[in-house]
Structures are given as C-alpha cells and as structure tokens.
Amino acid sequence: MRTARRYLAREIYRSCAVVLLALLGLFTFFALVDDLDNVGDKFSMLALLYMQALALPTRLYDLLPIGLLIGAILALAGLAQRNELVILRVSGVSGMRLLRMLWLITLPLMIGASLLSEFVTPAAEIKSGEASLMFRGKASGTRMDSGYWFKEPTRDGGTRIINIAKLLADGNVEGVTLYEFKPGLQLTTMSTAATGAFTRDKLVLKNVVETHIDDRAAQALADAKPPRTPPASVTKLPQRELDTTLSPERLLARVLTPERMSLNTLLDYIDYLHHNQLDAGRQVVALWRKVSYPFTLLVMITIAAPIGFMQTRRGGVGAKVFIGILLGVGFFMLNQLALNVGMLSRWPPWLTALGPNVGATLLALGALSLMEYRHATARFAQARWPWRRSPA
C-alpha cells in the first residue's frame, strides 16, 4: 500500500501544482489588467509588478482549497480512466481505505497551508500595505474618509478617542486628533498633531495644539451669559508623549483583513478590542476560520473522492472537473454566506467558521458510502420495500 500511496500522492501533487499555477496566472493577469489604469508618474509599471508579486501569497492562500479540489479530481479521474483505480479496488482496497490514503496524502499540504497562513501571507500583506502607502499614498482596509478611529481608556478612568488621518510606511502617523473625555463622557481636551511616532508604548506627537475646555463651559453656555473666565484655552507644544495601548502592529491589524493576520497578531488585536470594550465578533470568527483553514483541505479532498471514483469505467474527466469547479465555487459562496449570516444573526463563532466544513464533509462521506455500499443498499431496500411484488 505504501507504493500505491506514493503513486497517488505524486499524481495528485502534480495535478494540483498545474491547476494552482494556471489559477495564479489567470488571476494575476486579471489584476494586472485592472490596475493598468493607475499606472502613471507616481505609480510606475515596475511598482505595479512589485505589488502583484507581493499579492501572490495571498492569492495562493485563497486558491489553495479549490486548486486542491480540482487537481485531486483531475488526478483521480485520470486514474479511473486508465482503470488503475479498478485495479486497486480489485486488489481489496475499499473506498473508505482509499479515502484514508487521500487524507494521509493531504497532511503535508495541511502543514504547508499552516505555514503559509501563519508566516508568509501576513508578512506579504504587511509588505503590500507598506508598498501601497509608498506608491499610492493609501492603504486598503477599514478606513473611513476621515481616517482611522481608535478608542482606549485613560488612567483616570476616562476615555480617549484617537483619529489618524494617514499611516506611513515606516509605522509612523500623520494628522493625529485626540478627543479626551472624563468619566461620564465630558469632553475636556481636544488635541491635534502634525505627526506622531511610536516609541516604547508611547506615541510621541510633534507640533501639538491642545484645546482645553473648562469644566464650567457647559454651564456657562446653558446660562446664556458671558462667562467670567474663557470656556476654552489653546496651548501649543512642540512635543507631547502620550501613553497609549496602540502600537504599529495594532495599526496594521486595523488595516489588514482579519483572516490575513498571524495568530499572534490576531489574538493581540482581539485582546486590545476586549480591553477597550469594542466589538471583536468579526475577529473571533476570523480566528476560528484561520484555525480551521488547514482542515478545509481535508474537506476538499473528501469532496473530490466520490467525484473521482464515480463512473470509473466510462471516464468522463471533463464532466468531473466541471462538477468539481461548481462544488468549489458553491463551497466558497456557502462559506461567505455563513460568515455574513452568522455575523448578522449572532451565531457562535465556532458554528459560523466550522459549519460549512462539517456539512460538506458529512455530505461527501454520505455520497462515498452510498457509492461503496450501493448494491447492499439496493438489496436491503428491495427486501424491506413494503409494496414489492410477491413472487407468483
């Protein structure tokens, strides 16, 4: 069986490599054509090619499950067309045993997918974000027209809201605005700074303009009388050190899609959101999806097994590949639908992340069992069918 497993592994790895190269080339070509309109004096063709090269690990991360599905179906359909699967079945290898062999073959791919998900993709996304800031002056992510917004508690029990207009490639920031509130959400200070830099859990602001609001300002406005003291005072500072829970990594975590972060960064960002009493539901679901990502490859090979095994005598490679593409696209759409519906309906994060995988695995195992025991099932149904004709 070791020889058969090595042969199956070689065929599946080769088919998957060809499919992934084709998909990567196709999607990269489409992305290049789509971004050609942005090429100009500031954004050269070389910069476009550099950014597309940085996007390759992310595309591989997205395309690996469907590439494995199509590649496995191609390999199994080719083996079935050459009657090699029939030889294995005649030699006493059952369908479930073949499936276990396929699972063993998938283990190295799962290890590679884990390394890709944890190290390569986050690093490439960070480099891509820095390149986008350098060449285009903007970064993709959850950015509003007014910039990036953060909230954190202060040492006196109040609240601080930070607005950052622009992130720089070196981790520094531009256009910082601070709103500082006392307990009870009473605004006390509004500060603006031209630039900011992070050093040892501090945000060093340069060219700061602070507007201090007097505690009696609200009462003076309510009385509609001229106040005895100015309700606000303006102070200019060349520099101010601000104790903050923000860091360059957490700023980048805000820019990146949660699924593109490493586990350590994602856990740190979830802790930051919980500490500041912010909603972390999207990030928790992303954590579950990231943990379950390598097991998605097992789901794909399980789906490919019954498709590759069926109609072994008649071949039908094209039809099987078409069915595999439909199932892969359907599984991707089901995953996205489960994510959106789960977030709206407040489903448990583990159910939102694992539900499609578990459902697809059970359906594939059921289909394989029906194929494996179809003759026994047919005989059982004929024997138990209440309206079957009695022998004359």
Side-chain angles (χ1 to χ4, degrees):
M1 287 300 105
R2 182 178 300 178
T3 303
R5 186 168 63 248
R6 288 178 179 175
Y7 181 69
L8 282 174
R10 185 168 63 250
E11 293 293 321
I12 289 175
Y13 292 163
R14 183 170 58 188
S15 297
C16 291
V18 172
V19 171
L20 284 173
L21 284 175
L23 291 175
L24 282 174
L26 187 64
F27 279 87
T28 302
F29 174 76
F30 288 154
L32 277 171
V33 172
D34 188 52
D35 276 347
L36 281 177
D37 293 338
N38 299 322
V39 175
D41 295 335
K42 295 182 178 180
F43 189 59
S44 63
M45 189 66 187
L46 186 61
L48 174 60
L49 294 175
Y50 175 66
M51 292 195 62
Q52 291 301 322
L54 290 176
L56 287 177
T58 303
R59 290 200 184 97
L60 180 60
Y61 176 89
D62 294 330
L63 294 173
L64 184 56
I66 191 171
L68 175 61
L69 175 64
I70 298 174
I73 291 175
L74 271 174
L76 293 175
L79 293 174
Q81 195 174 31
R82 297 191 298 268
N83 295 323
E84 290 171 309
L85 285 181
V86 176
I87 296 173
L88 283 176
R89 299 297 296 273
V90 170
S91 63
V93 180
S94 64
M96 290 299 176
R97 190 172 180 183
L98 273 174
L99 180 60
R100 288 195 295 269
M101 292 171 61
L102 294 178
W103 285 347
L104 288 175
I105 291 170
T106 313
L107 288 179
L109 296 177
M110 293 176 62
I111 296 173
S114 300
L115 296 176
L116 177 68
S117 173
E118 182 63 18
F119 299 105
V120 182
T121 300
E125 281 289 304
I126 292 173
K127 288 293 184 181
S128 180
E130 292 176 352
S132 181
L133 287 170
M134 183 184 302
F135 297 128
R136 298 180 176 179
K138 62 179 182 179
S140 58
T142 53
R143 185 189 188 280
M144 301 181 180
D145 292 338
S146 55
Y148 302 94
W149 292 86
F150 302 90
K151 173 188 172 185
E152 61 182 11
T154 57
R155 291 183 176 180
D156 58 357
T159 303
R160 180 189 298 126
I161 296 177
I162 305 174
N163 173 247
I164 296 175
K166 187 178 181 181
L167 303 180
L168 302 179
D170 56 1
N172 297 332
V173 294
E174 285 185 355
V176 182
T177 304
L178 305 177
Y179 301 91
E180 297 176 79
F181 298 84
K182 294 197 307 184
L185 295 181
Q186 180 182 352
L187 182 64
T188 59
T189 306
M190 187 191 75
S191 307
T192 59
T195 60
F198 290 94
T199 56
R200 295 184 180 180
D201 298 332
K202 293 182 182 295
L203 178 59
V204 180
L205 302 174
K206 301 291 184 65
N207 301 325
V208 183
V209 178
E210 293 185 346
T211 302
H212 299 275
I213 301 174
D214 191 83
D215 294 339
R216 294 166 293 181
Q219 184 63 37
L221 293 174
D223 294 340
K225 295 180 181 179
R228 296 180 181 178
T229 58
S233 60
V234 179
T235 305
K236 294 184 179 181
L237 301 173
Q239 179 174 307
R240 178 188 173 186
E241 290 188 357
L242 183 71
D243 292 326
T244 179
T245 57
L246 285 178
S247 63
E249 292 76 16
R250 287 175 175 174
L251 288 177
L252 284 173
R254 180 62 183 270
V255 174
L256 296 179
T257 307
E259 285 82 3
R260 302 292 186 264
M261 303 179 193
S262 64
L263 281 177
N264 289 334
T265 305
L266 189 54
L267 288 171
D268 178 70
Y269 191 55
I270 290 173
D271 180 69
Y272 165 78
L273 293 176
H274 284 158
H275 180 72
N276 293 287
Q277 299 178 354
L278 299 173
D279 183 26
R282 176 71 178 87
Q283 284 72 22
V284 174
V285 173
L287 178 64
W288 278 94
R289 287 166 68 95
K290 194 171 185 66
V291 171
S292 64
Y293 173 75
F295 298 97
T296 306
L297 302 182
L298 280 181
V299 178
M300 294 293 102
I301 203 72
T302 306
I303 294 174
I307 300 174
F309 294 165
M310 69 180 182
Q311 298 179 353
T312 56
R313 293 184 180 179
R314 287 177 286 175
V317 178
K320 294 177 183 180
V321 173
F322 179 70
I323 293 173
I325 294 173
L326 288 182
L327 288 176
V329 173
F331 181 78
F332 174 79
M333 295 177 64
L334 181 63
N335 249 331
Q336 292 301 118
L337 180 63
L339 173 62
N340 297 329
V341 173
M343 293 294 296
L344 291 174
S345 304
R346 300 288 181 178
W347 290 355
W350 63 268
L351 180 61
T352 304
L354 302 179
N357 287 348
V358 174
T361 303
L362 292 177
L363 287 176
L365 289 175
L368 187 61
S369 299
L370 285 176
M371 292 178 58
E372 183 72 11
Y373 305 109
R374 60 183 181 274
H375 298 299
T377 304
R379 288 195 299 269
F380 177 80
Q382 290 176 2
R384 298 294 181 179
W385 188 251
W387 296 282
R388 65 188 181 92
R389 294 183 181 179
S390 58

